[in-house]
Amino acid sequence: MHIPDGFLSPITCITCYAAIIPFWIIFSKKVQKGMNTQLMSYAALGASFSFLIMMINIPIPGGTCGHATGTALLSLLFGPEYAFILVSLALAIQALIFGDGGITTYGANVISMALIPSYIAHYLNYILGKLRNNTTLCPINSAISAYFAIVSGALFTSVILGVQPYFFHSATGLPMFFPYGLNVTIPAMLIPHILVFGSIEGVITSLVIKYLATSNNLLNLQVDE
C-alpha cells in the first residue's frame, strides 16, 4: 500500500502533508503527556511490530504488492492517537532508509496506513463492544475491526491514485503522474485486501489480542491522560 514518489501530483502531496500536520502536532503532545516508562517500552515493541509486518510484502497480480500494517492492533491497545504516531514513525523510517514508500508521498501513506485505519479500528471496535455487551477487548471484535480498518486504508489509496489521471494530465489528455483511473485502481486494491489482506490483518490482530488477554494481563494497561 506504500505509494512511491512520482505517483501523485505535487498538489496532492502538499494537501496530504497539510492534512496530517495538525494530527502530528496535537497527537504528539498528547502522547508525550501520557507516556510513562512502562507504556514507552510497550509502544516501542508495537512500533517495531508494525515496521516489521509492513516489510513483509506479498505480490498481487498486476505488478503490485500488499501487506498487513498492525495499525489496528496498536489502536486497540494504546488508542488511535498513539497508533497514528507509532505507525507514522515506522513509515518515516521505511521511506527514508529503505525506500519503501516515497518522501513526497509520505503524507498520503500516513493517511492510508496510520490515520484512517487507527480510527476505523478504534470506533468500530467500540461500536461492536456496545452491540455485543463486551467491556474489554475481544478477539472477534478485534478481528472485524482490523479487517475493515485495512480495507478502508486500501480504499483511500485506490481513490487517491485513481483520481490522478482525471485531474492532472497534459493538454492532449496524457496522464502526468499515475496513469490508471478509478476503474482500475479500486478493484486492483480492494479485491486483494477484501479477500486476502483484510483477513490476514484480522487474524494477526485477534491472535495477539487473545495472547495478551491470557498472559501477564497486559490488556489492563492504561494510558495516562
Side-chain angles (χ1 to χ4, degrees), residues 159-170:
V159 170
I160 201 169
L161 286 172
V163 298
Q164 297 302 305
Y166 300 115
F167 292 102
F168 308 101
H169 51 76
S170 66

Side-chain angles (χ1 to χ4, degrees), residues 163-218:
V163 298
Q164 297 302 305
Y166 300 115
F167 292 102
F168 308 101
H169 51 76
S170 66
T172 59
L174 185 67
M176 300 173 63
F177 302 99
F178 193 76
Y180 302 108
L182 295 171
N183 61 319
V184 174
T185 59
I186 289 180
M189 286 296 298
L190 284 190
I191 291 176
H193 282 83
I194 289 173
L195 297 180
V196 179
F197 297 109
S199 300
I200 293 175
E201 187 88 14
V203 168
I204 292 175
T205 302
S206 64
L207 289 177
V208 174
I209 292 295
K210 185 176 182 179
Y211 170 77
L212 294 178
T214 57
S215 64
N216 299 325
N217 206 25
L218 291 181

Side-chain angles (χ1 to χ4, degrees), residues 127-160:
I127 293 171
L128 291 174
K130 289 290 186 180
L131 293 176
R132 303 184 67 212
N133 295 319
N134 292 330
T135 58
T136 58
L137 286 177
C138 162
I140 296 177
N141 293 355
S142 301
I144 297 173
S145 301
Y147 177 91
F148 284 101
I150 194 171
V151 170
S152 299
L155 176 60
F156 172 83
T157 301
S158 67
V159 170
I160 201 169

Side-chain angles (χ1 to χ4, degrees), residues 7-222:
F7 278 41
L8 302 179
S9 71
I11 294 177
T12 305
C13 294
I14 292 172
T15 302
C16 290
Y17 266 102
I20 67 169
I21 287 175
F23 291 99
W24 260 97
I25 295 173
I26 296 171
F27 291 172
S28 60
K29 291 180 179 179
K30 181 173 182 178
V31 168
Q32 184 178 10
K33 181 181 178 180
M35 190 65 70
N36 55 51
T37 303
Q38 183 187 34
L39 180 58
M40 186 179 297
S41 61
Y42 289 140
L45 288 174
S48 300
F49 174 78
S50 176
F51 175 86
L52 291 174
I53 200 171
M54 284 194 288
M55 296 295 288
I56 304 175
N57 293 298
I58 301 175
I60 298 175
T64 184
C65 59
H67 53 77
T69 65
T71 306
L73 176 63
L74 297 181
S75 180
L76 296 178
L77 291 178
F78 304 111
E81 296 87 358
Y82 284 76
F84 173 82
I85 295 296
L86 295 175
V87 177
S88 295
L89 291 173
L91 289 170
I93 295 173
Q94 289 176 338
L96 291 170
I97 299 178
F98 297 95
D100 195 3
I103 304 299
T104 59
T105 57
Y106 172 74
N109 288 328
V110 167
I111 294 174
S112 65
M113 287 180 277
L115 181 62
I116 292 176
S118 63
Y119 273 95
I120 291 293
H122 174 78
Y123 284 110
L124 183 55
N125 182 73
Y126 174 80
I127 293 171
L128 291 174
K130 289 290 186 180
L131 293 176
R132 303 184 67 212
N133 295 319
N134 292 330
T135 58
T136 58
L137 286 177
C138 162
I140 296 177
N141 293 355
S142 301
I144 297 173
S145 301
Y147 177 91
F148 284 101
I150 194 171
V151 170
S152 299
L155 176 60
F156 172 83
T157 301
S158 67
V159 170
I160 201 169
L161 286 172
V163 298
Q164 297 302 305
Y166 300 115
F167 292 102
F168 308 101
H169 51 76
S170 66
T172 59
L174 185 67
M176 300 173 63
F177 302 99
F178 193 76
Y180 302 108
L182 295 171
N183 61 319
V184 174
T185 59
I186 289 180
M189 286 296 298
L190 284 190
I191 291 176
H193 282 83
I194 289 173
L195 297 180
V196 179
F197 297 109
S199 300
I200 293 175
E201 187 88 14
V203 168
I204 292 175
T205 302
S206 64
L207 289 177
V208 174
I209 292 295
K210 185 176 182 179
Y211 170 77
L212 294 178
T214 57
S215 64
N216 299 325
N217 206 25
L218 291 181
L219 291 187
N220 286 333
L221 178 67
Q222 298 295 320

